[in-house]
Amino acid sequence: MTMKIMIGKDYADMSRKAAHVVSATVTLHPDCVLGLATGSTPIGMYQQLIKWYEAGDLSFETVQSVNLDEYVGLGAESDQSYRYFMNENLFNHININPTHTSVPNGLAADISAECERYDRHIDELGGVDLQVLGIGNNGHIGFNEPSEVFEKRTNHVHLAQKTIEANARFFTSIDEVPKSAVTMGIKSIMQAKAILLLASGEGKKEIMEAALFGPITPKVPASILQLHPNLIVAGDEAALSLVTKNHPELF
Ligand code: PGA
């Protein structure tokens, strides 16, 4: 494994460091495929990318994107859907071609057909060049929740209670949080040429230690990333405090 760990002194610093990695990928490969993530963590990185686009330093004209996941039952019009999130937090503010952006369709009548279509689409694009990931408190990546097995392909998942509770902050009540989602599988994530894992805040310090240095197990889905040949971690000091304490030789 080559794991590169970048430590930002705070969220803004981490976001800027992460944005540099995305920017370098887009600059070197203007027609790259970006794997994108939602959640609170990547928002600062997206804001930085928008600033560089506005300054004329970065163009997304020929970039393609595939998002990790979407809630089942929510569509682009719903302000809690991940399609809406991506439009609001990134796509509407840069020159990416909307037809080059993909998010699983949470309103598909046949969800298993939608999972198959999504995998075919990723394959047709030639796979992901840089996959951005957040990490759940329980170690999920995308919506691949702790489980007995690593799900390889795009799949329909029932959200863990911990995830429903963690995501309730984005909804008016916990009852409104969808109970299931479509998520890109571990295989598509692991086949990305490079992975950029983001983590911010004290609340992520235990799971970051477990994911990066604990046993590789589907009970901590992010632990599979230890096997990726090109893993880049961007965290702030709080999220990486256990990692820096337990592995001082790396820093
Ligand atoms: P967060 O979510 O960025 O809002 O912490 C991460 C995740 O659940 O993957």
Side-chain angles (χ1 to χ4, degrees):
M1 174 188 56
T2 24
M3 174 165 63
K4 167 84 195 145
I5 302 183
M6 302 187 296
I7 308 176
K9 61 182 184 316
D10 54 22
Y11 178 70
D13 191 29
M14 175 213 89
S15 298
R16 204 165 44 245
K17 285 180 162 58
H20 275 295
V21 175
V22 177
S23 170
T25 304
V26 171
T27 304
L28 285 168
H29 308 285
D31 57 355
C32 66
V33 179
L34 295 178
L36 298 177
T38 55
S40 50
T41 313
I43 291 176
M45 181 188 80
Y46 292 147
Q47 286 171 350
Q48 180 64 70
L49 292 171
I50 291 166
K51 278 193 200 136
W52 286 333
Y53 162 71
E54 287 171 346
D57 289 334
L58 197 55
S59 172
F60 295 84
E61 199 175 355
T62 51
V63 167
Q64 301 264 355
S65 75
V66 286
N67 257 80
L68 281 169
D69 46 15
E70 180 61 281
Y71 288 119
V72 167
L74 299 189
E77 305 305 313
S78 161
D79 60 6
Q80 304 298 349
S81 74
Y82 287 171
R83 163 53 79 180
Y84 186 96
F85 175 102
M86 289 309 302
N87 290 345
E88 285 290 305
N89 286 290
L90 184 65
F91 299 152
N92 289 349
H93 309 285
I94 59 173
N95 65 337
I96 197 165
N97 180 336
T99 66
H100 289 179
T101 69
S102 298
V103 180
N105 178 8
L107 294 180
D110 182 343
I111 291 291
S112 62
E114 172 61 9
C115 292
E116 284 170 26
R117 183 197 70 80
Y118 208 67
D119 279 335
R120 269 198 314 276
H121 178 61
I122 296 170
D123 288 347
E124 280 160 16
L125 289 173
V128 173
D129 290 296
L130 176 68
Q131 178 65 58
V132 176
L133 295 175
I135 183 167
N137 296 321
N138 62 359
H140 73 203
I141 45 177
F143 270 135
N144 293 284
E145 299 283 26
S147 159
E148 298 304 315
V149 291
F150 289 109
E151 283 294 340
K152 292 195 279 276
R153 310 301 310 204
T154 298
N155 62 102
H156 182 192
V157 283
H158 292 277
L159 302 184
Q161 188 56 30
K162 250 185 148 175
T163 301
I164 292 174
E165 286 162 15
N167 290 5
R169 69 189 196 276
F170 300 114
F171 293 80
T172 43
S173 93
I174 194 164
D175 300 332
E176 283 178 26
V177 185
K179 304 288 180 285
S180 75
V182 171
T183 185
M184 195 190 280
I186 294 293
K187 184 175 174 183
S188 305
I189 293 173
M190 286 298 284
Q191 283 181 338
K193 294 193 185 83
I195 292 181
L196 176 59
L197 173 67
L198 309 180
S200 169
E202 171 94 14
K204 295 281 169 73
K205 69 180 184 191
E206 276 98 9
I207 197 62
M208 285 302 279
E209 168 68 12
L212 300 180
F213 296 98
I216 297 171
T217 163
K219 295 188 165 66
V220 181
S223 64
I224 192 90
L225 301 176
Q226 293 178 41
L227 298 178
H228 196 278
N230 191 6
L231 172 64
I232 305 160
V233 178
D236 56 19
E237 284 177 0
L240 292 173
S241 60
L242 268 187
V243 168
T244 48
K245 179 167 161 243
N246 293 348
H247 311 277
E249 70 285 0
L250 295 178
F251 300 96

